[in-house]
Amino acid sequence: MKIDSVEEFNELLKKENHFFFMKHSLTCPISANAYQEFNRFLDQTDAKGYYLAVQESRSLSNHIAETFGIKHESPQAFLVDHGEVLWHASHSRITKNELEKQMTKS
């Protein structure tokens, strides 16, 4: 599910205790591959996943970087648990297998 605003993201943090989130660039081929891996993972598990399109939600992307103290990269994936980031990765490290591995750790 796409999240577009800081308000939507803050509501997500209140509503969901455990979820994956991805910053996706609409113009980057590496991001397209990571987004495909992210969606394959979500399709084959019961994990909850959300994303933003960086070009459309720059302020939200910056908010996430500032809130969690994690330098912005794109693509970038996070595992959020009770409002804290337990894991994050970027670029080619975003794979279905890595996401599955993080799901079993938490």
Side-chain angles (χ1 to χ4, degrees):
M1 173 182 226
K2 189 175 179 191
I3 302 295
D4 291 310
S5 70
V6 171
E7 295 77 21
E8 286 178 319
F9 186 76
N10 288 339
E11 281 302 310
L12 177 62
L13 286 174
K14 290 178 190 172
K15 177 180 85 167
E16 296 290 347
N17 291 328
H18 192 80
F19 62 92
F20 287 87
F21 195 88
M22 182 173 177
K23 291 183 177 183
H24 171 51
S25 169
L26 301 172
T27 56
C28 171
I30 294 169
S31 190
N33 289 337
Y35 184 67
Q36 209 170 25
E37 291 284 313
F38 185 74
N39 282 312
R40 280 185 42 221
F41 162 71
L42 293 175
D43 288 345
Q44 296 177 13
T45 67
D46 61 354
K48 295 189 180 190
Y50 304 87
Y51 75 99
L52 66 80
V54 174
Q55 291 86 342
E56 298 170 352
S57 302
R58 182 79 55 193
S59 62
L60 174 55
S61 180
N62 292 339
H63 173 76
I64 291 169
E66 291 167 15
T67 298
F68 297 115
I70 299 170
K71 179 182 171 255
H72 166 78
E73 296 189 67
S74 178
Q76 191 171 37
F78 304 87
L79 172 57
V80 179
D81 186 70
H82 292 89
E84 295 194 24
V85 173
L86 298 182
W87 166 88
H88 64 94
S90 67
H91 296 83
S92 60
R93 293 183 307 276
I94 303 169
T95 64
K96 178 180 167 283
N97 289 342
E98 184 60 30
L99 292 162
E100 287 171 344
K101 185 169 124 183
Q102 296 308 316
M103 187 171 152
T104 60
K105 282 183 175 180
S106 58

